Amino acid sequence: MKQYIKADPWSIIEEGFDPSLNEISESLFSIGNGAMGQRANFEEVYSGKSLQGSYVGGIYYPDKTRVGWWKNGYPEYFAKVINATNWIGLQLTIDGEMLDLAKVKQILCFQRTLDMKLGILSRKFKVVLPNETVITVDTQRFVSMDDSELGAISYKLTSNKDINLELESYLDGDVKNRDSNYDEQFWLPVAHEASQNHLFLSTQTKKTGYDVGVAASTTLLHNNQPIAAHQFESNVFRASQNFKVTLEAGEEIEIVKKAVVISSLNHTKESIQNQSITKINKLSNTSFETLKQNHIQAWDKLWQFCDVEIGGDVKAQQGIRFNIFQLLQTYTGKDARLNIGPKGFTGEKYGGSTYWDTEAYCIPFYLSTAGSQVARNLLIYRHNQLGKAIENAQKLGFQNGAALYPMVTMNGEECHNEWEITFEEIHRNGAIAYAIYDYVRYTGDEAYLSEYGLEVLIGIARFWKERVNWSSDKEKYVILGVTGPNEYENNVNNNWYTNYVARWCLEYATKVIELVKKQNKSAWQQLKTKTSFREEEVIIWQNIIDKMYLPYDQQRQIYLQQDGFLDKELVSVDSIPKNQRPINQHWSWDRILRSCYIKQADVLQGLYFFEDHFTKEDIQKNFEFYEAMTVHESSLSPCVHVILASQIG
Ligand code: BGC
């Protein structure tokens, strides 16, 4: 791992500019407010390595699937929250030379800071231009936690010589995704406008038809006096304003750019232009400083409920705050249509889509910090998608209301297209049921079960009922051909975690049926009709519960990750040379699959979920056996391990 971030309890700090790390920094220093996000791209032109990224939550494009060998059951597309209109652009030309950190003569100093307490991204740098002029820049940027449709930039510049400065402030809708499967442009132009006071650009996603409109205003302050734009123009994908100023040596100019980003998710298409322009014009009376203070106050309120203090270890302190910051800026719980992309708004990886990460890893955080409504919204998101989960299972041949939630989704449809994960990593269904259990035990909101939860649990239980098969050899129910959480094993039989969570789902669904029957007879009657539920179903479930096969090794007294796991050469991770880590970057897939090495918690994921089902000795034995072979090549891995490690002391 590259270690170039300075340790600090509240900030992520990069000192000195290394162009080869720029795309990493652009991700690390990303900012967001649940509704939109922005990578830490430079405002000024940068011709070096960079991935431009402005994202609007819920605005996605179904990018046609690309695979080498098509398998029946693969989805047609992968839904991606896509790169949207770039609103941060400021092109600066100094005495005819464009300011571009990739082309300056020398970078005298550079610092990029993400203040996580305040939610402010800032940058300071001093550079020598090819014509020897020394330019100093000081920027601040935020996307507002106070107003989810607003982003703002303050960009201050001084020079050591008298200079002629030209500024072009622009909106650029001609943007692409680097991960586009067919190198397609995902947007169509809708409307554009430029005037002395504002810029406006709206574009529409192809296929899904979402409109996104951005209105921006730019003020150039010289000696506290605004300089008017001398030129403005717009065309289908670009709107810009041009300014000119003569700056004396040592004088400062401040450029303030504000942008309102709205979409047809929350506004009618017809109103987007008018609403965003009205709003940006209204904001002309509010200073950057005031908007910033409102934003800081909103962050401050969030931190009051979320902060975790770690004494004596600044890096650990910085690390945990970074995690909290990411969760808070990715999902605020205000909109049940949104969810948590595994990498938030930091880039294109994982497409901003929903994974089991939400239920298995994120919900506990929101439950304990954000009030029950936020976690409830995340559960309702899955309830809203139950119909699609049933369809998804039907596509794979399941019947009778069996629901298989997708591995990756935006609107409930499966987007993932690797057979060993799409069709086999079915344990995700367990996490969705577990999240309901977790929510109810934490909040005591049992009404959730009759209203929403039980319907989901029945769909999931029905899936497991159909997915198991009776082994007359073992005289047990088995689950064949799966991928557990450890994705470094594919198509295995009887993954202990999957079998365990499947059995638990059947037990929990049965229990909740009993509870709802008792507490709310009429709700149960309604649900029974809605789901065409037959009382015999629970009898069949009980039989599976009683006879589920759970691989176990008597001698070592451990649960077996899967059938045949002990046939592997069991060697601990320390025997892998350092220069071969991470193994997924150095070894062939074949070698990884045959090895004993574990990507992330698998058996231990089960011990973590169901800690009260196991003794401390049990946890300890399994931890010692499996952790030694775990390479932790998913960021979902260390967290589960440290929780268990602290449990066993
Ligand atoms: C992990 C999955 C996870 C996905 C998204 C993968 O590397 O193995 O468990 O859902 O990343 O975070």
Side-chain angles (χ1 to χ4, degrees):
M1 246 219 297
K2 311 237 167 24
Q3 296 282 352
Y4 66 99
I5 298 301
K6 211 178 141 190
D8 182 277
W10 272 110
S11 292
I12 306 295
I13 303 168
E14 174 187 19
E15 267 173 358
F17 182 59
D18 179 345
S20 70
L21 302 176
N22 187 45
E23 289 189 338
I24 299 175
S25 294
E26 287 176 340
S27 300
L28 278 179
F29 291 78
S30 294
I31 49 176
N33 63 5
M36 62 170 163
Q38 174 61 47
R39 277 169 64 81
N41 309 114
F42 298 163
E43 288 84 3
E44 74 279 358
V45 167
Y46 181 64
S47 59
K49 269 181 90 177
S50 167
L51 178 78
Q52 203 278 320
S54 309
Y55 309 98
V56 184
I59 305 298
Y60 71 95
Y61 178 79
D63 199 12
K64 193 168 165 340
T65 303
R66 190 177 186 128
V67 284
W69 197 275
W70 188 268
K71 306 265 185 309
N72 278 346
Y74 272 172
E76 298 292 326
Y77 68 90
F78 192 103
K80 292 171 180 167
V81 170
I82 51 177
N83 189 18
T85 292
N86 169 13
W87 59 270
I88 64 168
L90 298 172
Q91 181 175 303
L92 294 139
T93 310
I94 297 159
D95 293 332
E97 280 188 56
M98 202 181 292
L99 178 62
D100 174 351
L101 258 61
K103 295 198 173 143
V104 294
K105 189 165 177 196
Q106 200 188 346
I107 298 181
L108 299 173
C109 62
F110 175 94
Q111 183 170 15
R112 179 158 31 191
T113 306
L114 175 63
D115 186 322
M116 300 182 283
K117 191 168 191 343
L118 311 181
I120 305 274
L121 168 67
S122 60
R123 208 158 45 102
K124 287 187 170 75
F125 61 84
K126 195 173 188 175
V127 292
V128 186
L129 300 184
N131 65 10
E132 302 298 337
T133 309
V134 179
I135 298 292
T136 309
V137 170
D138 189 344
T139 73
Q140 290 195 353
R141 177 159 99 209
F142 61 89
V143 288
S144 177
M145 260 305 171
D146 174 56
D147 176 345
S148 62
E149 299 176 338
L150 174 73
I153 299 165
S154 153
Y155 195 103
K156 294 179 179 164
L157 182 144
T158 53
S159 158
N160 71 334
K161 290 187 194 151
D162 295 359
I163 53 168
N164 288 315
L165 179 92
E166 289 169 55
L167 164 70
E168 180 174 59
S169 173
Y170 62 90
L171 299 174
D172 179 13
D174 187 14
V175 289
K176 280 194 165 182
N177 267 47
R178 186 183 286 173
D179 69 356
S180 160
N181 284 339
Y182 295 90
D183 202 24
E184 236 183 306
Q185 161 76 279
F186 297 149
W187 297 95
L188 294 168
V190 177
H192 54 90
E193 190 179 317
S195 75
Q196 190 100 47
N197 299 326
H198 62 255
L199 300 173
F200 174 77
L201 198 65
S202 68
T203 48
Q204 184 175 86
T205 53
K206 289 182 186 164
K207 294 188 189 167
T208 40
Y210 292 111
D211 278 16
V212 172
V214 183
S217 69
T218 304
T219 322
L220 179 75
L221 289 169
H222 181 220
N223 295 328
N224 280 328
Q225 289 305 309
I227 310 244
H230 68 91
Q231 199 185 324
F232 42 87
E233 60 188 6
S234 66
N235 60 45
V236 284
F237 274 138
R238 194 178 164 96
S240 60
Q241 290 168 315
N242 292 72
F243 303 79
K244 266 187 196 160
V245 62
T246 303
L247 203 64
E248 283 175 28
E251 269 181 1
E252 183 180 85
I253 54 137
E254 182 182 13
I255 303 159
V256 172
K257 184 168 184 181
K258 299 168 195 160
V260 168
V261 181
I262 68 179
S263 79
S264 56
L265 213 57
N266 301 314
H267 300 269
T268 62
K269 290 185 181 181
E270 301 68 43
S271 71
I272 284 179
Q273 185 158 0
N274 196 11
Q275 287 211 32
S276 57
I277 292 174
T278 308
K279 185 161 173 177
I280 202 75
N281 286 336
K282 252 198 205 146
L283 284 169
S284 65
N285 300 322
T286 317
S287 69
F288 177 83
E289 205 44 46
T290 304
L291 295 173
K292 184 174 120 183
Q293 287 312 322
N294 296 344
H295 163 74
I296 291 174
Q297 272 171 26
W299 265 107
D300 193 51
K301 272 198 205 130
L302 291 174
W303 279 115
Q304 280 175 25
F305 297 100
C306 296
D307 193 21
V308 174
E309 287 181 16
I310 300 178
D313 185 338
V314 180
K315 279 194 166 179
Q317 178 66 81
Q318 184 182 37
I320 193 131
R321 287 197 172 126
F322 182 72
N323 288 303
I324 295 171
F325 181 76
Q326 286 299 337
L327 285 164
L328 293 175
Q329 71 169 355
T330 301
Y331 186 76
T332 58
K334 290 178 193 153
D335 186 341
R337 294 167 301 176
L338 302 182
N339 208 280
I340 306 156
K343 285 186 186 282
F345 294 117
T346 65
E348 295 179 1
K349 179 75 180 172
Y350 297 130
S353 293
T354 310
Y355 286 65
W356 75 304
D357 306 29
T358 295
E359 283 77 14
Y361 294 85
C362 303
I363 280 191
F365 169 79
Y366 295 107
L367 256 182
S368 57
T369 58
S372 56
Q373 192 56 38
V374 172
R376 201 173 202 263
N377 271 350
L378 285 170
L379 299 188
I380 287 175
Y381 173 94
R382 294 290 195 177
H383 179 265
N384 290 343
Q385 298 185 349
L386 177 61
K388 297 263 191 219
I390 293 172
E391 259 175 47
N392 185 40
Q394 275 166 355
K395 282 183 196 157
L396 305 189
F398 296 87
Q399 296 165 341
N400 303 320
L404 175 61
Y405 278 91
M407 188 67 199
V408 179
T409 194
M410 193 63 72
N411 64 1
E413 284 167 359
E414 179 62 88
C415 289
H416 200 280
N417 59 45
E418 282 168 278
W419 64 270
E420 59 276 32
I421 292 179
T422 313
F423 307 143
E424 297 207 329
E425 210 177 324
I426 51 177
H427 68 78
R428 59 200 185 235
N429 249 10
I432 288 161
Y434 185 84
I436 297 172
Y437 161 76
D438 218 10
Y439 167 80
V440 174
R441 80 169 156 166
Y442 193 89
T443 61
D445 178 11
E446 286 183 344
Y448 181 80
L449 294 170
S450 53
E451 215 178 328
Y452 300 104
L454 181 52
E455 195 181 351
V456 170
L457 295 173
I458 289 174
I460 289 175
R462 285 171 163 173
F463 171 79
W464 291 121
K465 182 248 154 199
E466 284 193 41
R467 187 60 170 78
V468 300
N469 69 275
W470 177 251
S471 157
S472 40
D473 179 46
K474 291 191 166 66
E475 299 205 320
K476 292 273 182 192
Y477 284 100
V478 292
I479 306 184
L480 308 180
V482 302
T483 295
N486 168 21
E487 292 176 344
Y488 289 177
E489 302 280 353
N490 294 155
N491 201 33
V492 299
N493 294 334
N494 295 310
N495 168 258
W496 179 85
Y497 172 74
T498 306
N499 290 22
Y500 197 87
V501 85
R503 186 181 73 174
W504 174 85
C505 286
L506 294 166
E507 280 169 346
Y508 185 51
T510 308
K511 245 191 236 160
V512 174
I513 289 175
E514 285 313 307
L515 186 88
V516 173
K517 265 186 191 169
K518 234 197 271 155
Q519 289 186 344
N520 195 338
K521 268 207 177 76
S522 71
W524 170 242
Q525 280 312 325
Q526 272 175 19
L527 194 60
K528 223 179 134 178
T529 313
K530 189 174 179 194
T531 57
S532 310
F533 189 81
R534 291 164 296 111
E535 296 292 342
E536 316 83 86
E537 290 188 60
V538 278
I539 299 169
I540 302 169
W541 296 354
Q542 191 56 50
N543 192 36
I544 300 169
I545 295 166
D546 294 341
K547 295 180 187 146
M548 179 67 93
Y549 175 64
L550 294 165
Y552 185 73
D553 178 51
Q554 275 300 346
Q555 196 200 330
R556 295 175 177 79
Q557 299 193 329
I558 52 156
Y559 305 104
L560 281 186
Q561 188 179 269
Q562 73 235 17
D563 283 353
F565 186 76
L566 295 175
D567 293 337
K568 288 175 182 269
E569 200 186 334
L570 302 174
V571 264
S572 69
V573 167
D574 6 302
S575 61
I576 311 173
K578 275 219 161 64
N579 61 7
Q580 292 179 22
R581 301 283 306 274
I583 56 172
N584 69 25
Q585 312 270 311
H586 294 92
W587 290 10
S588 71
W589 190 238
D590 163 67
R591 187 174 173 194
I592 291 177
L593 288 179
R594 283 184 287 110
S595 81
C596 67
Y597 296 121
I598 301 169
K599 180 181 182 185
Q600 66 198 86
D602 192 298
V603 167
L604 298 184
Q605 182 73 33
L607 301 187
Y608 156 71
F609 268 174
F610 303 108
E611 58 178 58
D612 50 334
H613 299 187
F614 303 96
T615 63
K616 200 170 157 182
E617 290 69 43
D618 249 355
I619 298 178
Q620 178 137 11
K621 282 198 182 108
N622 283 278
F623 185 93
E624 280 165 6
F625 182 73
Y626 286 111
E627 201 282 331
M629 291 181 279
T630 303
V631 286
H632 303 291
E633 290 180 10
S634 161
S635 58
L636 300 181
S637 190
C639 49
V640 169
H641 286 84
V642 292
I643 292 168
L644 291 178
S646 59
Q647 246 173 38
I648 57 178

